[in-house]
Amino acid sequence: MADQSKWVLGLRPVDDAALSRSVLVADRLAEIIELVGPGPVGWSVELAEGMTREIVSAIPELGVDVVIHEVHRGCEAVAVTMLAVLAKEVRFAADSVVEVLAGPGELVGRGVGIEHMIRSIHIGHGYASAAVFTAIEALVPQEDRFAEMRRISALLFAVVDQLTAAMASTFSTVQKSWLASTAAVRLEIVHSVLRGEPVALDRSGRTLGYDLTRHHTGLVVWADDPAAPAPGQLEKIASDVLKATGHSGSLILPVGARRVWAWGSRLRSSPSSTHIPAEPPPGTKVAIGLPAPGVAGFRTSHEQALAAAAFGMSSRSGRWLFDYADVDMLVMLSAQADLARQFVRRELGGLAGPGDIAVTLRATLKCYLDTERSLSAAADKLHVARNTVAYRVQRAEQLRGRPIDSRRMQLQAALTLAEELGDNVLGDSADT
């Protein structure tokens, strides 16, 4: 490593838990950590979070639905890749950040134009440049700062040029393919319905092959892996879930290479079957809205599925199914990440601490409360002795710093959020 680049190894995040909030696949992150260490990578994860906020604030079109997660993933991919460029002086290649180039495939079908994507690159560049220059001022000797800033500035502009050219090329290819597909016509009708615009139900129904006047259940099916799933895989998962839950009609539309929107319809509100099919392939997940009638129900169930999917993308629980009927309260509580983090740490106190012991105590206390404070029932569920449950509950109460009867409803909600979202809500926050 060149001497002028050693300062990169001194980068550290403000929040020690930042690394745990990474949205990249574990193998990708591990490669960069091995190269430069966890401190700089944690710093880049925080940088990506700031870039995402800046981009969405300036371009609200990228903050709708779960598009923000695609933006976040792309920002982080660029941020961690840039560590290798800055520290090891390796050459940046746009095709190495597949998360960014997957963006057009996810966004074209939603009507997001190339101008928004290109502008997001320049906004991210401005935010990242300011952060890097601030770090140089703190970590590089004064006599070397100007030369290092010039070097970094040239590197960052080269990255922007590559990303812009690659994004424009990928967008053009994806857009041509999309406009030639029948899905484009059908999704345009769906967008009109979702926007609340008046539509001719008979004609729209014929084009969609779907009756908008019946009872509807909205679905979102997505793949977490940045690589596209096998062709038709997500559509098949959506179809299987809808059939298994008693829907006679279905509308399934791809809205990107890794996500589909779907609706199931039936004549009556209650399903004839509530059987959920077997777990889908690893890395694929499903969110389901509540059934509701008519065009308004088509919209509201979809909105609920989108909200459940957004929650599912943040979940650390390992589950694959996010039914809005089960997670509605968690969706509302976690809608504002900073407030959710403050709430969890305020309610749990010392019980929000890190480590396996804290995890075990939280799980035991949650099980105890979920079983209406039955030591025997909790012991059976956890497969431990009754006295073990009693001891853990007592220890959890001590760590919390107040009785478990105090704000019990809030305590139970905080424990559930902690179990579901992990360090996303347990991590340190400057505002707590």
Side-chain angles (χ1 to χ4, degrees), residues 22-326:
S22 171
V23 293
L24 298 182
V25 294
D27 290 348
R28 176 73 181 282
L29 204 66
E31 290 178 6
I32 307 297
I33 291 175
E34 184 176 355
L35 194 66
V36 298
V41 178
W43 179 87
S44 69
V45 169
E46 262 186 358
L47 173 65
E49 291 172 337
M51 291 167 65
T52 303
R53 288 192 296 270
E54 192 80 359
I55 289 169
V56 171
S57 175
I59 312 173
E61 292 85 352
L62 298 182
V64 299
D65 189 9
V66 289
V67 173
I68 188 172
H69 293 280
E70 299 299 333
V71 174
H72 188 184
R73 201 192 304 259
C75 285
E76 190 174 316
V78 172
V80 299
T81 302
M82 280 304 302
L83 286 176
V85 175
L86 298 179
K88 299 292 186 178
E89 297 186 343
V90 299
R91 187 174 180 275
F92 179 85
D95 58 8
S96 68
V97 284
V98 294
E99 296 85 354
V100 175
L101 299 184
E106 298 301 319
L107 302 178
V108 164
R110 303 168 190 266
V112 178
I114 182 63
E115 69 278 6
H116 295 315
M117 300 184 194
I118 299 300
R119 188 182 172 205
S120 72
I121 293 174
H122 290 284
I123 293 171
H125 167 250
Y127 187 93
S129 296
V132 171
F133 292 157
T134 298
I136 290 174
E137 290 178 350
L139 298 172
V140 177
Q142 187 170 358
E143 62 271 19
D144 298 328
R145 288 176 194 165
F146 181 71
E148 184 63 357
M149 285 183 176
R150 286 188 61 183
R151 183 181 78 89
I152 298 302
S153 182
L155 285 173
L156 293 179
F157 273 114
V159 168
V160 168
D161 287 344
Q162 281 202 51
L163 286 177
T164 301
M167 179 71 78
S169 175
T170 303
F171 182 90
S172 176
T173 301
V174 171
Q175 188 180 49
K176 287 177 183 177
S177 175
W178 171 252
L179 291 176
S181 71
T182 57
V185 177
R186 298 169 78 203
L187 193 57
E188 183 56 39
I189 294 174
V190 167
H191 279 308
S192 296
V193 175
L194 296 178
R195 288 192 295 263
E197 297 172 0
V199 294
L201 295 182
D202 289 344
R203 187 170 62 208
S204 297
R206 286 193 298 271
T207 303
L208 294 175
Y210 183 83
D211 188 347
L212 291 168
T213 66
R214 304 174 78 185
H215 286 81
H216 311 284
T217 303
L219 258 67
V220 176
V221 183
W222 75 97
D224 275 338
D225 196 309
Q233 183 185 65
L234 299 183
E235 289 87 342
K236 184 179 184 307
I237 293 170
S239 177
D240 289 347
V241 172
L242 290 173
K243 287 178 182 176
T245 50
H247 295 84
S248 57
S250 65
L251 170 62
I252 302 173
L253 294 173
V255 288
R258 293 183 292 113
R259 185 171 291 108
V260 301
W261 290 351
W263 289 261
S265 68
R266 52 182 172 245
L267 292 173
R268 57 188 181 192
S269 59
S270 59
S272 57
S273 169
T274 56
H275 172 69
I276 295 295
E279 182 174 348
T284 53
K285 298 179 180 178
V286 178
I288 305 179
L290 300 173
V295 173
F298 183 90
R299 284 194 295 268
T300 57
S301 189
H302 175 67
E303 289 166 357
Q304 291 162 353
L306 291 179
F311 176 79
M313 294 186 75
S314 299
S315 174
R316 299 293 188 266
S317 67
R319 72 162 94 181
W320 66 271
L321 180 64
F322 295 87
D323 189 336
Y324 190 79
D326 297 329

